[in-house]
Amino acid sequence: MSDAIDNPLDDPTADPFEIAAEAAADIARLTGVERHDIALTLGSGWGRAAELIGETTATIPATEVTGFSRPALEGHVGSLRSIRTPKGRNVLIIGARTHYYEGHGVRRVVHSVRTAAATGARTMVLTNGAGGIKPAWSPGQPVLISDHLNLTGASPLEGATFIDLTDLYSQRLRDLARSIDPSLDEGVYCQFRGPQYETPAEVRMARTIGGHIVGMSTALEAIAARQAGMEILGMSLITNMAAGIQTTPLSHQEVIEAGQAAEPVIASLLARVVGAL
Ligand code: HPA
């Protein structure tokens, strides 16, 4: 059966929060962990952090959890992991991200975040690989997300749902991350729809309106996480300088390779940050 037919989120009459609650029940049953405290979405380059955070108590294919889509892309791992930290906290690792550019709608994009909230997680750590605009940055550098510009034209909120986004990327959690690594810079994340990388003109526009990081994921997820009442920490790995800032063409291969090269350093940083949460 095709994924388009058997995903309950594709039924417009279904309640996405009920489906997230079902997914959370699946996770509890399949991992044997009733509640999770912290959830992490690991984007390009961040995958190795899972091993350093604590002991993995269960790994489950995302396809066994209600509403999760099949991984769209090689290099994006389609699994969920439950990890117990040395402090005894349960961390849900989401290695299965659905991007808006896949065209399955925003409900599917934010399902993992809503599911994480339904498992009990109060803290959502969103990571990604992204293009850098600030000239002082270089590929391989992790940065904190301080705010975002949602340029997708989409929202995970349905109906007249007015949500405050003033401290969307928690100042408290950014301070905490900086207590681990004082050299961490921060910037405003611009989410474009993709999947094409930006034109140099689009990057200039992003810079002019206050953007420092360009990517194709986190903003929509952060809005859904805030709607669910979670505190959010956002981190980008600068995998490349944004189009026009770097003069060479961008390639997915370059993004993957920069992620792999930076992985040991950013994985240990993220593990230390999670340990401090
Ligand atoms: N733009 C958008 N998304 C990205 C980039 C970029 O330059 N690099 C990695 N993901």
Side-chain angles (χ1 to χ4, degrees):
M1 209 189 296
S2 97
D3 193 41
I5 293 163
D6 63 13
N7 193 313
L9 287 162
D10 294 339
D11 172 0
T13 65
D15 176 351
F17 296 96
E18 271 174 28
I19 296 169
E22 274 176 48
D26 291 337
I27 290 171
R29 177 172 47 81
L30 293 166
T31 62
V33 178
E34 203 51 48
R35 280 182 69 82
H36 285 85
D37 306 298
I38 300 164
L40 267 81
T41 297
L42 297 182
S44 306
W46 295 91
R48 288 250 293 272
E51 284 136 49
L52 306 176
I53 287 169
E55 186 203 342
T56 298
T57 55
T59 304
I60 55 179
T63 44
E64 296 200 2
V65 180
T66 303
F68 275 74
S69 310
R70 292 194 177 83
L73 212 61
E74 216 185 309
H76 289 214
V77 193
S79 68
L80 301 173
R81 249 159 115 157
S82 186
I83 294 183
R84 176 72 64 100
T85 70
K87 279 193 204 163
R89 310 186 74 192
N90 294 317
V91 179
L92 180 67
I93 305 282
I94 302 163
R97 184 175 242 155
T98 299
H99 290 85
Y100 185 56
Y101 59 68
E102 290 170 48
H104 298 305
V106 193
R107 283 184 169 194
R108 285 226 223 159
V109 171
V110 300
H111 179 60
S112 61
V113 166
R114 289 183 171 150
T115 297
T119 68
R122 306 318 307 147
T123 307
M124 186 75 229
V125 181
L126 297 169
T127 66
N128 58 53
I133 296 183
K134 277 198 198 180
W137 292 348
S138 39
Q141 180 173 348
V143 298
L144 297 167
I145 300 176
S146 59
D147 202 344
H148 80 216
L149 290 159
N150 172 13
L151 303 184
T152 64
S155 170
L157 309 180
E158 299 179 24
T161 309
F162 305 109
I163 303 277
D164 173 62
L165 302 181
T166 307
D167 187 34
L168 184 60
Y169 299 90
S170 162
Q171 182 71 56
R172 187 185 80 83
L173 295 183
R174 277 183 278 147
D175 290 346
L176 187 140
R178 273 211 202 82
S179 72
I180 306 284
D181 179 356
S183 76
L184 278 172
D185 198 2
E186 65 180 29
V188 174
Y189 179 90
C190 276
Q191 182 174 354
F192 284 85
R193 182 194 183 280
Q196 71 283 354
Y197 292 115
E198 300 72 30
T199 63
E202 286 166 343
V203 170
R204 285 195 300 276
M205 175 191 77
R207 187 180 58 195
T208 303
I209 62 177
H212 307 110
I213 306 164
V214 284
M216 306 177 194
S217 59
T218 301
L220 294 172
E221 297 166 353
I223 296 167
R226 170 45 49 89
Q227 180 188 26
M230 300 163 101
E231 190 176 17
I232 299 148
L233 176 66
M235 293 178 89
S236 292
L237 169 69
I238 303 303
T239 54
N240 56 279
M241 295 316 286
I245 309 270
Q246 75 174 45
T247 47
T248 50
L250 272 57
S251 76
H252 179 59
Q253 192 54 31
E254 174 194 16
V255 168
I256 297 289
E257 282 171 13
Q260 283 165 352
E263 216 158 19
V265 173
I266 60 172
S268 94
L269 168 67
L270 187 55
R272 284 158 66 212
V273 171
V274 171
L277 285 173

